């Protein structure tokens, strides 16, 4: 996620802004920049890469001034580059701003502004805001920002300065956090407490729909419609490390808990409920060909391979296009057959996994049309493919992938609906699917509200040596994912299997010491899964079942149940994985493991 820092007061802004940006480096970013008012004009300096590159570019040059903004960018629209880095300015550079979030309707706004004579320097959604504010500016910056934001659809954490009113920063929040640090004769603004803690522990948290006028000596809060808002100044007690983790003990838990929001971000601007379909701008030019594809091959590794399996089931069920899922590391070496009309989709959170990148290059060499589903904008895999769909899940710091996985499955669901609606899926069915997708973040939040049953199970099973995870249909890949989560962070051996495969070998392992986790939601294979559970019980196995809430039969059959809300079968994996992410997390914590950086693992496997 991007980092925002602002300063106004008695000190030189530059060192404060750079220090604040450095404290947000942990969040991940691809470029950085500063805008400082030097008494006459706003000077903007920005560079692609790390803050060190920006400092190198500054080459010791001091940007004088006591009013300024800083930004570290996590690219969403427009590749990482110097020109796309924030801050962004209006035509004449009287206005500079930094922004976190996504302006969904930026293209429409941009077209209107271009008709009014505005020329754009970048491909970012953020630059549109600078021109919009310029267009609305008639001598009152607060009013101009309010008028501009009234036209915006999307999310923002926004900070604006203007050389015609150099005594203030205007800050506005909608869906992306902003906090004001209150000092003595100076005030700070940041997207993350970590950036301002060294300067002050007195904080005013902006809420969605609020806008603040920040001067060196005052903070006035209002709504976008200029209603006054009374805010309290809170004293921050968390230490820096806790702040970076959002108050959670680990990045992994923070990322598990932020899934309701990351799912919303992955769907933002992509659901067309009335038409009962979805919009994926990144692959628009390939939609026709993809809908007519003879075959789709998905290449990925690890957790991304698990989400690929779910994508296979979805696309084949709704679009009736044959899909094969391949381990990228296998695909690249076995001289794969790529015929006319074959699409190869690479799925990768980091966009840098060596095996997946190599598989993609092999596919291109053989003439496949290649698409990417990545989280990191401008990553190697994203650049190697002809088009793609970004997750917009924000940086995933924990080595064990959680929010990226559920966003991958969500994006694959969007794709399956888009293709399905071109292949006979009815508008009514599409509307139902889109509505269920839209409701998903609420269901995930409901599961996350009640983690006690999972903590109890973690305490009970933390010392076991082996686990078996079983599921059928859409739940089979979740069995694989649940097993991977447990083994990679707790170092307990765990295997995922199709439930029906148990009788072809793994059943020999069942005994009283082997917990068996069933993903047993009420779908078409439910009765078969019940039979599998009885087979395990007959051999003194202990059964933990992830089941649909209110499933009385399962409560009687299983030794322990973890209930989840009901939704459409194809979306159940996004719900059923949540308790398994948490089970792995709590067991790993109880075992004293390094949850965020498990032994032997890297967040991005850029080696073969
Ligand atoms: C998942 O928890 C693991 N960290 C690992 O399997 C990961 O999914 C795999 O290395 C693929 O990474 P990518 O999605 O960045 O390509």
């Amino acid at each position: 996620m991007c980092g925002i820092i602002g300063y106004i007061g008695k000190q030189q802004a530059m060192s404060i802004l750079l220090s604040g940006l450095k404290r947000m480096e942990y969040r991940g970013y691809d470029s950085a920049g500063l805008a400082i008012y030097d008494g006459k004009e706003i000077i903007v300096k920005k560079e692609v890469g790390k803050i060190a590159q920006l400092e190198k570019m500054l080459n010791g040059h001091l940007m004088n001034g006591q009013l300024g903004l800083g930004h570290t960018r996590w690219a969403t629209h427009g590749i990482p580059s110097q020109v796309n880095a924030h801050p962004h300015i209006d035509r004449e550079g009287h206005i500079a701003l930094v922004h976190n979030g996504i302006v969904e309707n930026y293209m429409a706004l941009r077209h209107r502004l271009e008709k009014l004579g505005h020329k754009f320097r970048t491909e970012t959604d953020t630059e549109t805001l600078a021109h919009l504010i310029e267009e609305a500016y008639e001598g009152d910056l607060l009013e101009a920002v309010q008028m501009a934001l009234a036209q915006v659809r999307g999310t923002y954490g926004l900070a604006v300065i203007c050389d015609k009113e150099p005594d203030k920063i205007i800050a506005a929040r909608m869906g992306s956090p902003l906090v004001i640090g209150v000092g003595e004769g100076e005030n700070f603004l940041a997207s993350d407490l970590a950036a301002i803690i060294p300067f002050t522990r007195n904080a005013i948290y902006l809420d969605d729909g609020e806008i603040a006028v920040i001067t060196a000596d005052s903070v006035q809060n209002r709504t976008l419609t200029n209603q006054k808002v009374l805010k309290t100044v809170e004293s921050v007690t968390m230490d820096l490390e806790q702040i970076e983790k959002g108050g959670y003990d680990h990045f992994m838990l923070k990322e598990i808990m932020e899934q309701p929001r990351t799912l919303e971000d992955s769907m933002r601007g992509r659901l067309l409920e009335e038409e009962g379909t979805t919009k994926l701008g990144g692959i628009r030019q390939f939609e026709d060909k993809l809908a007519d594809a003879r075959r789709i091959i998905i290449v990925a590794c690890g957790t991304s391979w698990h989400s690929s399996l779910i994508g296979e089931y979805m696309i084949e069920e709704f679009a009736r296009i044959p899909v094969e899922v391949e381990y990228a590391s296998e695909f690249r070496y076995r001289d794969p057959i790529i015929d006319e009309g074959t699409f190869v989709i690479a799925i990768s959170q980091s966009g840098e996994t060596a095996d997946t990148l190599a598989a993609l290059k092999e596919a291109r060499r053989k003439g496949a049309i290649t698409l990417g589903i990545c989280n990191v904008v401008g990553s190697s895999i994203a650049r190697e493919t002809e088009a793609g769909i970004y997750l917009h899940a924000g940086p995933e710091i924990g080595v064990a992938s959680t929010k990226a996985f559920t966003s991958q499955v969500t994006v694959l669901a969007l794709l399956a609906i888009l293709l399905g609606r071109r292949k006979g899926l009815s508008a009514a069915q599409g509307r139902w699917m889109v509505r269920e997708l839209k409701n998903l973040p609420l269901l995930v939040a409901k599961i996350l509200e009640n983690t006690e049953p999972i903590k109890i199970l973690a305490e009970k099973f933390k010392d076991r040596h082996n686990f078996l995870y079983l599921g059928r249909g859409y739940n089979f890949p979740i069995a694989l994912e649940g097993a991977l989560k447990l083994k990679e962070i707790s170092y307990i051996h765990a295997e995922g299997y199709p439930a029906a495969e148990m009788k072809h070998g793994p059943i020999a392992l069942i005994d009283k010491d082997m917990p068996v986790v069933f993903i047993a939601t009420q779908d078409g294979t439910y009765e078969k899964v019940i039979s599998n559970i009885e087979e395990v019980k007959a051999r003194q196995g202990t059964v933990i079942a992830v089941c649909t809430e209110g499933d009385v039969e399962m409560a009687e059959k299983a030794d322990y149940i973890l209930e989840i809300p009901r939704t459409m079968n194809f979306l159940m994996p996004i719900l059923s994985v949540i308790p398994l992410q948490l089970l792995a997390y709590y067991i790993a914590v109880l075992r004293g493991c390094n949850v965020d950086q498990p032994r032997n693992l890297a967040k991005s496997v850029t080696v073969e």
Side-chain angles (χ1 to χ4, degrees):
M1 198 58 74
C2 306
I4 287 178
I5 177 85
Y7 177 77
I8 184 165
K10 55 199 176 191
Q11 302 184 65
Q12 286 299 311
M14 181 177 174
S15 59
I16 292 172
L17 298 177
L18 286 170
S19 158
L21 291 181
K22 286 173 182 171
R23 288 183 176 279
M24 294 186 282
E25 287 198 281
Y26 73 91
R27 303 158 62 115
Y29 65 102
D30 49 56
S31 52
L34 301 175
I36 295 178
Y37 176 70
D38 68 359
K40 294 194 302 296
E41 58 184 343
I42 296 173
I43 308 297
V44 175
K45 298 286 183 187
K46 51 191 187 176
E47 184 59 283
V48 67
K50 299 304 178 191
I51 294 166
Q53 269 88 348
L54 174 63
E55 290 180 312
K56 188 173 171 200
M57 183 253 255
L58 290 167
N59 192 23
H61 166 68
L62 176 65
M63 295 170 71
N64 279 311
Q66 295 160 254
L67 164 68
L69 303 174
H71 190 267
T72 46
R73 179 177 183 237
W74 166 268
T76 54
H77 293 74
I79 60 167
S81 66
Q82 183 184 36
V83 74
N84 285 340
H86 302 203
H88 287 292
I89 57 174
D90 65 333
R91 278 181 292 189
E92 279 81 34
H94 294 303
I95 292 167
L97 56 80
V98 293
H99 165 238
N100 281 359
I102 296 172
V103 179
E104 287 175 31
N105 60 331
Y106 82 98
M107 286 310 285
L109 294 170
R110 187 177 174 129
H111 291 149
R112 180 157 61 80
L113 288 162
E114 283 169 339
K115 288 196 180 107
L116 295 171
H118 290 259
K119 297 272 183 290
F120 286 82
R121 304 176 185 86
T122 81
E123 49 197 277
T124 66
D125 55 336
T126 301
E127 188 191 358
T128 308
L129 296 175
H131 292 259
L132 207 55
I133 294 168
E134 176 202 347
E135 196 57 35
Y137 188 76
E138 292 176 347
D140 183 326
L141 185 60
L142 170 61
E143 192 178 277
V145 173
Q146 287 168 325
M147 287 175 65
L149 292 179
Q151 304 165 63
V152 164
R153 205 173 60 246
T155 58
Y156 48 82
L158 180 69
V160 188
I161 60 176
C162 175
D163 61 7
K164 295 171 184 167
E165 299 180 42
D167 62 338
K168 62 175 72 79
I169 298 171
I170 303 290
R173 174 188 161 149
M174 181 64 76
S176 194
L178 278 180
V179 58
I180 297 164
V182 181
E184 296 289 327
E186 59 186 9
N187 284 314
F188 307 79
L189 173 71
S191 53
D192 182 325
L193 260 182
I196 55 176
I197 281 300
F199 309 110
T200 175
R201 284 185 171 268
N202 299 319
I204 296 173
Y205 296 91
L206 281 191
D207 291 311
D208 282 354
E210 291 181 355
I211 196 164
V213 180
I214 306 166
T215 69
D217 302 304
S218 68
V219 177
Q220 293 171 27
N221 292 92
R222 296 171 183 271
T223 64
L224 283 182
T225 50
N226 217 27
Q227 305 301 313
K228 283 198 174 174
V229 179
L230 287 180
K231 306 291 285 186
T232 52
V233 179
E234 301 184 31
S235 178
V236 178
T237 54
M238 280 193 288
D239 64 29
L240 190 60
E241 192 190 352
Q242 279 178 306
I243 289 165
E244 288 179 347
K245 291 165 186 163
Y248 294 104
D249 291 340
H250 299 96
F251 283 111
M252 182 179 175
L253 185 57
K254 174 177 175 242
E255 287 151 10
I256 289 171
M257 292 298 175
E258 64 187 11
Q259 287 179 109
R261 182 174 58 75
T262 51
L263 288 179
E264 282 177 353
D265 288 347
S266 296
M267 293 185 263
R268 195 176 303 287
R270 293 170 166 173
L271 297 177
L272 300 178
E273 191 166 354
E274 280 311 304
E275 299 90 319
T277 187
T278 63
K279 179 176 68 170
L280 296 170
I283 60 165
R284 183 175 295 124
Q285 75 267 39
F286 290 98
E287 247 180 70
D288 294 338
K289 282 187 179 174
L290 191 54
D292 295 336
R294 289 175 50 189
R295 187 164 59 118
I296 295 174
I297 299 171
I298 307 179
V299 293
C301 300
T303 285
S304 299
W305 188 80
H306 297 153
S307 64
S308 304
L309 286 177
I310 297 169
E312 172 187 338
Y313 289 22
M314 289 175 175
I315 296 170
E316 290 200 346
E317 176 178 359
F318 301 116
R320 310 308 294 161
I321 300 170
V323 178
E324 291 164 31
V325 174
E326 297 263 5
Y327 280 116
S329 54
E330 289 297 305
F331 179 85
R332 64 180 289 199
Y333 290 117
R334 65 177 186 76
D335 191 14
I337 298 169
I338 302 284
D339 44 22
E340 180 69 27
T342 298
F343 268 76
V344 172
I345 300 177
I347 298 185
S348 173
Q349 186 287 129
S350 62
E352 300 299 341
T353 299
D355 284 325
T356 308
L357 184 57
L360 195 58
K361 288 179 176 174
E362 177 66 6
R364 288 200 73 172
R365 258 196 301 277
K366 289 179 173 277
I369 302 173
T370 58
L371 303 178
I373 296 178
C374 295
N375 193 31
V376 180
V377 175
S379 54
S380 303
I381 288 171
R383 288 199 309 273
E384 181 65 30
T385 53
E386 284 146 276
I389 309 162
Y390 285 120
L391 300 183
H392 297 322
E396 189 174 65
I397 312 287
V399 164
S401 187
T402 51
K403 65 175 184 174
F405 173 75
T406 50
S407 288
Q408 286 169 347
V409 177
T410 300
V411 162
L412 285 162
L414 296 170
L415 180 60
I417 294 169
L418 178 71
L419 298 175
R421 288 281 285 114
R422 299 171 67 107
K423 309 277 285 194
L425 196 65
S426 73
Q429 179 76 5
R431 276 193 289 274
W432 182 20
M433 295 165 82
V434 167
R435 273 198 303 276
E436 287 297 305
L437 254 176
K438 203 171 178 181
N439 190 43
L440 217 47
L442 287 175
L443 300 182
V444 171
K446 189 177 175 189
I447 299 171
L448 295 173
E449 281 162 10
N450 180 22
T451 59
E452 276 318 300
I454 304 165
K455 287 177 181 172
I456 291 167
L457 288 185
E459 180 59 50
K460 187 168 188 57
F461 292 103
K462 68 185 187 322
D463 298 320
R464 297 301 175 90
H465 300 293
N466 299 286
F467 274 71
L468 200 53
Y469 287 70
L470 302 174
R472 287 177 183 251
Y474 279 111
N475 289 324
F476 159 50
I478 298 304
L480 298 175
E481 177 59 11
L484 175 61
K485 287 287 98 50
L486 183 69
K487 60 187 155 193
E488 70 174 328
I489 63 173
S490 73
Y491 316 143
I492 294 174
H493 173 251
E495 279 190 83
Y497 258 90
E501 274 297 301
M502 195 181 61
K503 54 187 175 295
H504 299 286
I507 198 164
L509 295 170
I510 305 296
D511 61 21
K512 63 179 176 36
D513 298 324
M514 160 86 83
V516 182
V517 180
F518 278 91
I519 300 88
T521 51
Q522 287 170 326
D523 57 18
T525 64
Y526 180 76
E527 292 308 323
K528 300 291 184 194
V529 173
I530 287 281
S531 307
N532 295 141
I533 287 173
E534 283 161 347
E535 289 159 11
V536 170
K537 298 290 294 170
R539 291 160 179 81
Q540 291 76 49
T542 304
V543 172
I544 300 167
V546 177
C547 63
T548 313
E549 61 191 12
D551 184 345
V552 177
E553 183 181 8
M554 190 57 68
E556 288 163 4
K557 298 277 185 204
D559 297 291
Y560 304 93
I561 60 170
L562 294 171
E563 294 181 280
I564 58 174
R566 178 194 295 277
T567 182
M568 295 179 83
N569 284 345
F570 81 110
L571 296 176
M572 284 307 286
I574 294 171
L575 300 181
S576 56
V577 76
I578 305 291
L580 303 184
Q581 293 172 344
L582 288 166
L583 181 64
Y585 170 78
Y586 290 127
I587 288 177
V589 168
L590 288 168
R591 291 168 64 92
C593 296
N594 182 342
V595 172
D596 284 333
Q597 279 96 28
R599 68 186 183 197
N600 312 334
L601 288 178
K603 182 58 188 169
S604 176
V605 184
T606 54
V607 295
E608 299 189 9

